[in-house]
Amino acid sequence: MTRLRRYGDAGQAFPIYITVVGGLLFLALAYFAVGQATVNRGGAQTAADAAALAAAQDARDQLADEWAAAVLDPTKWQRIFDGDVQLTNDPCARAQQLAGQNEADVLGCYENGWPLGYKV
């Protein structure tokens, strides 16, 4: 003998569970996408900062070499300290080299500010 059901609400919780689980999966995917974008941005920022520092270090090293060559002539010192000398190598080439090692591309590189300031 089968028992008759009084109410027709049997199994009504299942659609609610499916909706909740779907919502949680959507939130997990959204958090993952935002986290991945944040990590990629941080990596790009780190590569750009390292490339700018490499350009500045290369310029500094070239200025130090100029100063070492002119150490006996103090009249040239101020011009070297002001960065008013022609550098033999382009510091942006070193920035591009380091960016390549960090699997990044240099979109632009130029001197920014005092002689050892570079923006990459």
Side-chain angles (χ1 to χ4, degrees), residues 10-48:
Q12 292 297 317
F14 184 69
I16 295 171
Y17 290 142
I18 293 297
T19 303
V20 169
V21 169
L24 288 175
L25 287 174
F26 175 75
L27 285 175
L29 180 65
Y31 285 134
F32 176 75
V34 169
Q36 189 70 24
T38 303
V39 167
N40 288 340
R41 183 190 180 282
Q45 184 66 49
T46 300

PDB file of all heavy atoms in Angstrom, residues 10-48:
ATOM      1  N   ALA A  10       7.569  18.102  -1.852  1.00  0.00           N
ATOM      2  CA  ALA A  10       8.684  17.177  -1.709  1.00  0.00           C
ATOM      3  C   ALA A  10       9.738  17.489  -2.771  1.00  0.00           C
ATOM      4  O   ALA A  10       9.408  17.644  -3.950  1.00  0.00           O
ATOM      5  CB  ALA A  10       8.210  15.738  -1.840  1.00  0.00           C
ATOM      6  N   GLY A  11      11.027  17.609  -2.376  1.00  0.00           N
ATOM      7  CA  GLY A  11      12.118  17.858  -3.308  1.00  0.00           C
ATOM      8  C   GLY A  11      12.290  19.312  -3.698  1.00  0.00           C
ATOM      9  O   GLY A  11      12.997  19.606  -4.654  1.00  0.00           O
ATOM     10  N   GLN A  12      11.694  20.223  -3.000  1.00  0.00           N
ATOM     11  CA  GLN A  12      11.800  21.638  -3.352  1.00  0.00           C
ATOM     12  C   GLN A  12      13.149  22.246  -2.952  1.00  0.00           C
ATOM     13  O   GLN A  12      13.508  23.297  -3.451  1.00  0.00           O
ATOM     14  CB  GLN A  12      10.665  22.437  -2.694  1.00  0.00           C
ATOM     15  CG  GLN A  12       9.308  22.107  -3.255  1.00  0.00           C
ATOM     16  CD  GLN A  12       9.200  22.461  -4.710  1.00  0.00           C
ATOM     17  OE1 GLN A  12       9.649  23.517  -5.131  1.00  0.00           O
ATOM     18  NE2 GLN A  12       8.620  21.573  -5.506  1.00  0.00           N
ATOM     19  N   ALA A  13      13.912  21.607  -2.103  1.00  0.00           N
ATOM     20  CA  ALA A  13      15.205  22.152  -1.670  1.00  0.00           C
ATOM     21  C   ALA A  13      16.290  21.947  -2.725  1.00  0.00           C
ATOM     22  O   ALA A  13      17.265  22.696  -2.773  1.00  0.00           O
ATOM     23  CB  ALA A  13      15.626  21.513  -0.356  1.00  0.00           C
ATOM     24  N   PHE A  14      16.135  20.959  -3.588  1.00  0.00           N
ATOM     25  CA  PHE A  14      17.155  20.657  -4.592  1.00  0.00           C
ATOM     26  C   PHE A  14      17.423  21.839  -5.529  1.00  0.00           C
ATOM     27  O   PHE A  14      18.593  22.178  -5.757  1.00  0.00           O
ATOM     28  CB  PHE A  14      16.752  19.409  -5.383  1.00  0.00           C
ATOM     29  CG  PHE A  14      17.791  18.975  -6.360  1.00  0.00           C
ATOM     30  CD1 PHE A  14      19.002  18.449  -5.928  1.00  0.00           C
ATOM     31  CD2 PHE A  14      17.583  19.111  -7.723  1.00  0.00           C
ATOM     32  CE1 PHE A  14      19.964  18.068  -6.823  1.00  0.00           C
ATOM     33  CE2 PHE A  14      18.543  18.744  -8.621  1.00  0.00           C
ATOM     34  CZ  PHE A  14      19.737  18.205  -8.179  1.00  0.00           C
ATOM     35  N   PRO A  15      16.441  22.511  -6.098  1.00  0.00           N
ATOM     36  CA  PRO A  15      16.740  23.676  -6.943  1.00  0.00           C
ATOM     37  C   PRO A  15      17.444  24.799  -6.182  1.00  0.00           C
ATOM     38  O   PRO A  15      18.279  25.507  -6.740  1.00  0.00           O
ATOM     39  CB  PRO A  15      15.372  24.136  -7.444  1.00  0.00           C
ATOM     40  CG  PRO A  15      14.488  22.950  -7.319  1.00  0.00           C
ATOM     41  CD  PRO A  15      15.011  22.171  -6.161  1.00  0.00           C
ATOM     42  N   ILE A  16      17.126  24.948  -4.913  1.00  0.00           N
ATOM     43  CA  ILE A  16      17.799  25.968  -4.100  1.00  0.00           C
ATOM     44  C   ILE A  16      19.273  25.609  -3.939  1.00  0.00           C
ATOM     45  O   ILE A  16      20.157  26.463  -4.070  1.00  0.00           O
ATOM     46  CB  ILE A  16      17.100  26.136  -2.746  1.00  0.00           C
ATOM     47  CG1 ILE A  16      15.684  26.687  -2.965  1.00  0.00           C
ATOM     48  CG2 ILE A  16      17.898  27.048  -1.828  1.00  0.00           C
ATOM     49  CD1 ILE A  16      14.843  26.691  -1.718  1.00  0.00           C
ATOM     50  N   TYR A  17      19.569  24.341  -3.667  1.00  0.00           N
ATOM     51  CA  TYR A  17      20.958  23.903  -3.534  1.00  0.00           C
ATOM     52  C   TYR A  17      21.728  24.113  -4.839  1.00  0.00           C
ATOM     53  O   TYR A  17      22.872  24.558  -4.832  1.00  0.00           O
ATOM     54  CB  TYR A  17      21.039  22.429  -3.131  1.00  0.00           C
ATOM     55  CG  TYR A  17      20.582  22.149  -1.729  1.00  0.00           C
ATOM     56  CD1 TYR A  17      19.854  21.001  -1.432  1.00  0.00           C
ATOM     57  CD2 TYR A  17      20.879  23.012  -0.688  1.00  0.00           C
ATOM     58  CE1 TYR A  17      19.424  20.737  -0.141  1.00  0.00           C
ATOM     59  CE2 TYR A  17      20.457  22.758   0.606  1.00  0.00           C
ATOM     60  CZ  TYR A  17      19.735  21.622   0.863  1.00  0.00           C
ATOM     61  OH  TYR A  17      19.317  21.362   2.141  1.00  0.00           O
ATOM     62  N   ILE A  18      21.116  23.788  -5.962  1.00  0.00           N
ATOM     63  CA  ILE A  18      21.766  23.968  -7.258  1.00  0.00           C
ATOM     64  C   ILE A  18      22.071  25.448  -7.486  1.00  0.00           C
ATOM     65  O   ILE A  18      23.152  25.811  -7.958  1.00  0.00           O
ATOM     66  CB  ILE A  18      20.875  23.411  -8.391  1.00  0.00           C
ATOM     67  CG1 ILE A  18      20.757  21.896  -8.277  1.00  0.00           C
ATOM     68  CG2 ILE A  18      21.405  23.800  -9.760  1.00  0.00           C
ATOM     69  CD1 ILE A  18      22.070  21.173  -8.444  1.00  0.00           C
ATOM     70  N   THR A  19      21.141  26.318  -7.152  1.00  0.00           N
ATOM     71  CA  THR A  19      21.336  27.757  -7.326  1.00  0.00           C
ATOM     72  C   THR A  19      22.479  28.261  -6.435  1.00  0.00           C
ATOM     73  O   THR A  19      23.333  29.042  -6.874  1.00  0.00           O
ATOM     74  CB  THR A  19      20.041  28.520  -7.004  1.00  0.00           C
ATOM     75  OG1 THR A  19      18.993  28.021  -7.837  1.00  0.00           O
ATOM     76  CG2 THR A  19      20.206  30.002  -7.239  1.00  0.00           C
ATOM     77  N   VAL A  20      22.511  27.812  -5.194  1.00  0.00           N
ATOM     78  CA  VAL A  20      23.564  28.241  -4.260  1.00  0.00           C
ATOM     79  C   VAL A  20      24.933  27.748  -4.722  1.00  0.00           C
ATOM     80  O   VAL A  20      25.909  28.505  -4.734  1.00  0.00           O
ATOM     81  CB  VAL A  20      23.253  27.770  -2.826  1.00  0.00           C
ATOM     82  CG1 VAL A  20      24.444  27.957  -1.910  1.00  0.00           C
ATOM     83  CG2 VAL A  20      22.039  28.498  -2.280  1.00  0.00           C
ATOM     84  N   VAL A  21      25.022  26.500  -5.134  1.00  0.00           N
ATOM     85  CA  VAL A  21      26.303  25.952  -5.598  1.00  0.00           C
ATOM     86  C   VAL A  21      26.752  26.676  -6.874  1.00  0.00           C
ATOM     87  O   VAL A  21      27.936  27.015  -7.030  1.00  0.00           O
ATOM     88  CB  VAL A  21      26.191  24.427  -5.828  1.00  0.00           C
ATOM     89  CG1 VAL A  21      27.416  23.902  -6.569  1.00  0.00           C
ATOM     90  CG2 VAL A  21      26.037  23.717  -4.503  1.00  0.00           C
ATOM     91  N   GLY A  22      25.833  26.952  -7.794  1.00  0.00           N
ATOM     92  CA  GLY A  22      26.176  27.700  -9.002  1.00  0.00           C
ATOM     93  C   GLY A  22      26.685  29.093  -8.668  1.00  0.00           C
ATOM     94  O   GLY A  22      27.646  29.580  -9.263  1.00  0.00           O
ATOM     95  N   GLY A  23      26.042  29.752  -7.706  1.00  0.00           N
ATOM     96  CA  GLY A  23      26.490  31.080  -7.280  1.00  0.00           C
ATOM     97  C   GLY A  23      27.871  31.044  -6.661  1.00  0.00           C
ATOM     98  O   GLY A  23      28.707  31.914  -6.923  1.00  0.00           O
ATOM     99  N   LEU A  24      28.134  30.034  -5.844  1.00  0.00           N
ATOM    100  CA  LEU A  24      29.460  29.911  -5.225  1.00  0.00           C
ATOM    101  C   LEU A  24      30.542  29.630  -6.274  1.00  0.00           C
ATOM    102  O   LEU A  24      31.657  30.166  -6.184  1.00  0.00           O
ATOM    103  CB  LEU A  24      29.442  28.811  -4.169  1.00  0.00           C
ATOM    104  CG  LEU A  24      28.664  29.150  -2.888  1.00  0.00           C
ATOM    105  CD1 LEU A  24      28.611  27.930  -1.980  1.00  0.00           C
ATOM    106  CD2 LEU A  24      29.291  30.323  -2.177  1.00  0.00           C
ATOM    107  N   LEU A  25      30.228  28.803  -7.250  1.00  0.00           N
ATOM    108  CA  LEU A  25      31.198  28.553  -8.317  1.00  0.00           C
ATOM    109  C   LEU A  25      31.473  29.813  -9.128  1.00  0.00           C
ATOM    110  O   LEU A  25      32.616  30.079  -9.520  1.00  0.00           O
ATOM    111  CB  LEU A  25      30.695  27.430  -9.233  1.00  0.00           C
ATOM    112  CG  LEU A  25      30.751  26.027  -8.637  1.00  0.00           C
ATOM    113  CD1 LEU A  25      30.094  25.031  -9.590  1.00  0.00           C
ATOM    114  CD2 LEU A  25      32.175  25.625  -8.343  1.00  0.00           C
ATOM    115  N   PHE A  26      30.435  30.609  -9.380  1.00  0.00           N
ATOM    116  CA  PHE A  26      30.625  31.868 -10.096  1.00  0.00           C
ATOM    117  C   PHE A  26      31.515  32.816  -9.294  1.00  0.00           C
ATOM    118  O   PHE A  26      32.422  33.446  -9.849  1.00  0.00           O
ATOM    119  CB  PHE A  26      29.274  32.531 -10.381  1.00  0.00           C
ATOM    120  CG  PHE A  26      29.408  33.877 -11.008  1.00  0.00           C
ATOM    121  CD1 PHE A  26      29.767  34.003 -12.336  1.00  0.00           C
ATOM    122  CD2 PHE A  26      29.206  35.037 -10.265  1.00  0.00           C
ATOM    123  CE1 PHE A  26      29.909  35.255 -12.924  1.00  0.00           C
ATOM    124  CE2 PHE A  26      29.340  36.286 -10.836  1.00  0.00           C
ATOM    125  CZ  PHE A  26      29.695  36.387 -12.163  1.00  0.00           C
ATOM    126  N   LEU A  27      31.280  32.926  -7.992  1.00  0.00           N
ATOM    127  CA  LEU A  27      32.120  33.789  -7.158  1.00  0.00           C
ATOM    128  C   LEU A  27      33.567  33.306  -7.130  1.00  0.00           C
ATOM    129  O   LEU A  27      34.501  34.118  -7.177  1.00  0.00           O
ATOM    130  CB  LEU A  27      31.559  33.858  -5.738  1.00  0.00           C
ATOM    131  CG  LEU A  27      30.318  34.718  -5.554  1.00  0.00           C
ATOM    132  CD1 LEU A  27      29.813  34.593  -4.119  1.00  0.00           C
ATOM    133  CD2 LEU A  27      30.601  36.156  -5.883  1.00  0.00           C
ATOM    134  N   ALA A  28      33.751  31.992  -7.054  1.00  0.00           N
ATOM    135  CA  ALA A  28      35.118  31.453  -7.051  1.00  0.00           C
ATOM    136  C   ALA A  28      35.821  31.793  -8.362  1.00  0.00           C
ATOM    137  O   ALA A  28      36.997  32.186  -8.366  1.00  0.00           O
ATOM    138  CB  ALA A  28      35.087  29.949  -6.835  1.00  0.00           C
ATOM    139  N   LEU A  29      35.117  31.672  -9.485  1.00  0.00           N
ATOM    140  CA  LEU A  29      35.702  32.018 -10.779  1.00  0.00           C
ATOM    141  C   LEU A  29      36.025  33.506 -10.853  1.00  0.00           C
ATOM    142  O   LEU A  29      37.081  33.888 -11.360  1.00  0.00           O
ATOM    143  CB  LEU A  29      34.744  31.630 -11.901  1.00  0.00           C
ATOM    144  CG  LEU A  29      35.231  31.924 -13.313  1.00  0.00           C
ATOM    145  CD1 LEU A  29      36.455  31.080 -13.645  1.00  0.00           C
ATOM    146  CD2 LEU A  29      34.125  31.679 -14.322  1.00  0.00           C
ATOM    147  N   ALA A  30      35.142  34.342 -10.335  1.00  0.00           N
ATOM    148  CA  ALA A  30      35.389  35.784 -10.354  1.00  0.00           C
ATOM    149  C   ALA A  30      36.612  36.135  -9.499  1.00  0.00           C
ATOM    150  O   ALA A  30      37.452  36.940  -9.913  1.00  0.00           O
ATOM    151  CB  ALA A  30      34.154  36.528  -9.853  1.00  0.00           C
ATOM    152  N   TYR A  31      36.727  35.545  -8.312  1.00  0.00           N
ATOM    153  CA  TYR A  31      37.897  35.804  -7.465  1.00  0.00           C
ATOM    154  C   TYR A  31      39.176  35.322  -8.139  1.00  0.00           C
ATOM    155  O   TYR A  31      40.217  35.963  -8.054  1.00  0.00           O
ATOM    156  CB  TYR A  31      37.745  35.147  -6.103  1.00  0.00           C
ATOM    157  CG  TYR A  31      36.793  35.862  -5.186  1.00  0.00           C
ATOM    158  CD1 TYR A  31      35.842  35.155  -4.468  1.00  0.00           C
ATOM    159  CD2 TYR A  31      36.846  37.235  -5.023  1.00  0.00           C
ATOM    160  CE1 TYR A  31      34.957  35.807  -3.618  1.00  0.00           C
ATOM    161  CE2 TYR A  31      35.973  37.893  -4.181  1.00  0.00           C
ATOM    162  CZ  TYR A  31      35.034  37.174  -3.488  1.00  0.00           C
ATOM    163  OH  TYR A  31      34.168  37.818  -2.650  1.00  0.00           O
ATOM    164  N   PHE A  32      39.110  34.191  -8.814  1.00  0.00           N
ATOM    165  CA  PHE A  32      40.288  33.676  -9.513  1.00  0.00           C
ATOM    166  C   PHE A  32      40.705  34.623 -10.633  1.00  0.00           C
ATOM    167  O   PHE A  32      41.894  34.903 -10.808  1.00  0.00           O
ATOM    168  CB  PHE A  32      39.998  32.283 -10.069  1.00  0.00           C
ATOM    169  CG  PHE A  32      41.123  31.714 -10.872  1.00  0.00           C
ATOM    170  CD1 PHE A  32      42.265  31.226 -10.247  1.00  0.00           C
ATOM    171  CD2 PHE A  32      41.063  31.670 -12.253  1.00  0.00           C
ATOM    172  CE1 PHE A  32      43.315  30.715 -10.969  1.00  0.00           C
ATOM    173  CE2 PHE A  32      42.109  31.165 -13.000  1.00  0.00           C
ATOM    174  CZ  PHE A  32      43.229  30.678 -12.350  1.00  0.00           C
ATOM    175  N   ALA A  33      39.741  35.119 -11.401  1.00  0.00           N
ATOM    176  CA  ALA A  33      40.059  36.021 -12.517  1.00  0.00           C
ATOM    177  C   ALA A  33      40.670  37.323 -12.011  1.00  0.00           C
ATOM    178  O   ALA A  33      41.648  37.826 -12.578  1.00  0.00           O
ATOM    179  CB  ALA A  33      38.798  36.303 -13.329  1.00  0.00           C
ATOM    180  N   VAL A  34      40.117  37.883 -10.944  1.00  0.00           N
ATOM    181  CA  VAL A  34      40.661  39.122 -10.379  1.00  0.00           C
ATOM    182  C   VAL A  34      42.056  38.874  -9.809  1.00  0.00           C
ATOM    183  O   VAL A  34      42.971  39.679 -10.003  1.00  0.00           O
ATOM    184  CB  VAL A  34      39.707  39.690  -9.306  1.00  0.00           C
ATOM    185  CG1 VAL A  34      40.368  40.813  -8.538  1.00  0.00           C
ATOM    186  CG2 VAL A  34      38.424  40.177  -9.947  1.00  0.00           C
ATOM    187  N   GLY A  35      42.245  37.761  -9.156  1.00  0.00           N
ATOM    188  CA  GLY A  35      43.564  37.427  -8.610  1.00  0.00           C
ATOM    189  C   GLY A  35      44.600  37.251  -9.700  1.00  0.00           C
ATOM    190  O   GLY A  35      45.738  37.710  -9.577  1.00  0.00           O
ATOM    191  N   GLN A  36      44.221  36.592 -10.778  1.00  0.00           N
ATOM    192  CA  GLN A  36      45.147  36.389 -11.897  1.00  0.00           C
ATOM    193  C   GLN A  36      45.524  37.722 -12.538  1.00  0.00           C
ATOM    194  O   GLN A  36      46.684  37.952 -12.876  1.00  0.00           O
ATOM    195  CB  GLN A  36      44.504  35.463 -12.932  1.00  0.00           C
ATOM    196  CG  GLN A  36      45.436  35.018 -14.018  1.00  0.00           C
ATOM    197  CD  GLN A  36      46.494  34.064 -13.515  1.00  0.00           C
ATOM    198  OE1 GLN A  36      46.313  33.393 -12.514  1.00  0.00           O
ATOM    199  NE2 GLN A  36      47.615  34.014 -14.192  1.00  0.00           N
ATOM    200  N   ALA A  37      44.556  38.611 -12.700  1.00  0.00           N
ATOM    201  CA  ALA A  37      44.844  39.927 -13.274  1.00  0.00           C
ATOM    202  C   ALA A  37      45.782  40.718 -12.365  1.00  0.00           C
ATOM    203  O   ALA A  37      46.686  41.416 -12.843  1.00  0.00           O
ATOM    204  CB  ALA A  37      43.551  40.698 -13.499  1.00  0.00           C
ATOM    205  N   THR A  38      45.590  40.611 -11.066  1.00  0.00           N
ATOM    206  CA  THR A  38      46.456  41.318 -10.117  1.00  0.00           C
ATOM    207  C   THR A  38      47.885  40.791 -10.179  1.00  0.00           C
ATOM    208  O   THR A  38      48.846  41.572 -10.155  1.00  0.00           O
ATOM    209  CB  THR A  38      45.896  41.166  -8.691  1.00  0.00           C
ATOM    210  OG1 THR A  38      44.563  41.663  -8.663  1.00  0.00           O
ATOM    211  CG2 THR A  38      46.741  41.912  -7.686  1.00  0.00           C
ATOM    212  N   VAL A  39      48.039  39.482 -10.280  1.00  0.00           N
ATOM    213  CA  VAL A  39      49.375  38.892 -10.374  1.00  0.00           C
ATOM    214  C   VAL A  39      50.061  39.326 -11.670  1.00  0.00           C
ATOM    215  O   VAL A  39      51.246  39.679 -11.668  1.00  0.00           O
ATOM    216  CB  VAL A  39      49.289  37.350 -10.283  1.00  0.00           C
ATOM    217  CG1 VAL A  39      50.596  36.699 -10.683  1.00  0.00           C
ATOM    218  CG2 VAL A  39      48.907  36.932  -8.875  1.00  0.00           C
ATOM    219  N   ASN A  40      49.331  39.325 -12.778  1.00  0.00           N
ATOM    220  CA  ASN A  40      49.917  39.745 -14.054  1.00  0.00           C
ATOM    221  C   ASN A  40      50.342  41.206 -14.017  1.00  0.00           C
ATOM    222  O   ASN A  40      51.397  41.579 -14.532  1.00  0.00           O
ATOM    223  CB  ASN A  40      48.935  39.518 -15.194  1.00  0.00           C
ATOM    224  CG  ASN A  40      48.783  38.049 -15.519  1.00  0.00           C
ATOM    225  OD1 ASN A  40      49.631  37.237 -15.177  1.00  0.00           O
ATOM    226  ND2 ASN A  40      47.693  37.700 -16.165  1.00  0.00           N
ATOM    227  N   ARG A  41      49.514  42.051 -13.407  1.00  0.00           N
ATOM    228  CA  ARG A  41      49.857  43.469 -13.302  1.00  0.00           C
ATOM    229  C   ARG A  41      51.103  43.652 -12.437  1.00  0.00           C
ATOM    230  O   ARG A  41      51.982  44.445 -12.752  1.00  0.00           O
ATOM    231  CB  ARG A  41      48.701  44.261 -12.713  1.00  0.00           C
ATOM    232  CG  ARG A  41      48.990  45.744 -12.654  1.00  0.00           C
ATOM    233  CD  ARG A  41      47.925  46.494 -11.845  1.00  0.00           C
ATOM    234  NE  ARG A  41      48.179  47.899 -11.788  1.00  0.00           N
ATOM    235  CZ  ARG A  41      49.076  48.487 -11.002  1.00  0.00           C
ATOM    236  NH1 ARG A  41      49.837  47.762 -10.215  1.00  0.00           N
ATOM    237  NH2 ARG A  41      49.247  49.778 -10.993  1.00  0.00           N
ATOM    238  N   GLY A  42      51.179  42.922 -11.347  1.00  0.00           N
ATOM    239  CA  GLY A  42      52.357  43.015 -10.476  1.00  0.00           C
ATOM    240  C   GLY A  42      53.628  42.579 -11.183  1.00  0.00           C
ATOM    241  O   GLY A  42      54.683  43.192 -11.026  1.00  0.00           O
ATOM    242  N   GLY A  43      53.539  41.523 -11.987  1.00  0.00           N
ATOM    243  CA  GLY A  43      54.698  41.068 -12.739  1.00  0.00           C
ATOM    244  C   GLY A  43      55.149  42.086 -13.770  1.00  0.00           C
ATOM    245  O   GLY A  43      56.346  42.319 -13.955  1.00  0.00           O
ATOM    246  N   ALA A  44      54.192  42.707 -14.441  1.00  0.00           N
ATOM    247  CA  ALA A  44      54.529  43.733 -15.435  1.00  0.00           C
ATOM    248  C   ALA A  44      55.156  44.950 -14.764  1.00  0.00           C
ATOM    249  O   ALA A  44      56.113  45.529 -15.281  1.00  0.00           O
ATOM    250  CB  ALA A  44      53.284  44.138 -16.216  1.00  0.00           C
ATOM    251  N   GLN A  45      54.627  45.331 -13.610  1.00  0.00           N
ATOM    252  CA  GLN A  45      55.175  46.483 -12.891  1.00  0.00           C
ATOM    253  C   GLN A  45      56.600  46.195 -12.428  1.00  0.00           C
ATOM    254  O   GLN A  45      57.484  47.053 -12.513  1.00  0.00           O
ATOM    255  CB  GLN A  45      54.290  46.835 -11.700  1.00  0.00           C
ATOM    256  CG  GLN A  45      54.733  48.076 -10.954  1.00  0.00           C
ATOM    257  CD  GLN A  45      54.590  49.325 -11.803  1.00  0.00           C
ATOM    258  OE1 GLN A  45      53.545  49.547 -12.394  1.00  0.00           O
ATOM    259  NE2 GLN A  45      55.630  50.124 -11.869  1.00  0.00           N
ATOM    260  N   THR A  46      56.832  44.983 -11.956  1.00  0.00           N
ATOM    261  CA  THR A  46      58.171  44.602 -11.506  1.00  0.00           C
ATOM    262  C   THR A  46      59.158  44.619 -12.666  1.00  0.00           C
ATOM    263  O   THR A  46      60.291  45.107 -12.533  1.00  0.00           O
ATOM    264  CB  THR A  46      58.133  43.211 -10.865  1.00  0.00           C
ATOM    265  OG1 THR A  46      57.240  43.244  -9.743  1.00  0.00           O
ATOM    266  CG2 THR A  46      59.502  42.764 -10.397  1.00  0.00           C
ATOM    267  N   ALA A  47      58.740  44.100 -13.820  1.00  0.00           N
ATOM    268  CA  ALA A  47      59.623  44.098 -14.993  1.00  0.00           C
ATOM    269  C   ALA A  47      59.932  45.526 -15.444  1.00  0.00           C
ATOM    270  O   ALA A  47      61.072  45.832 -15.805  1.00  0.00           O
ATOM    271  CB  ALA A  47      58.979  43.307 -16.127  1.00  0.00           C
ATOM    272  N   ALA A  48      58.930  46.405 -15.412  1.00  0.00           N
ATOM    273  CA  ALA A  48      59.153  47.798 -15.819  1.00  0.00           C
ATOM    274  C   ALA A  48      60.088  48.505 -14.843  1.00  0.00           C
ATOM    275  O   ALA A  48      60.989  49.254 -15.259  1.00  0.00           O
ATOM    276  CB  ALA A  48      57.825  48.538 -15.908  1.00  0.00           C
TER     277      ALA A  48
END
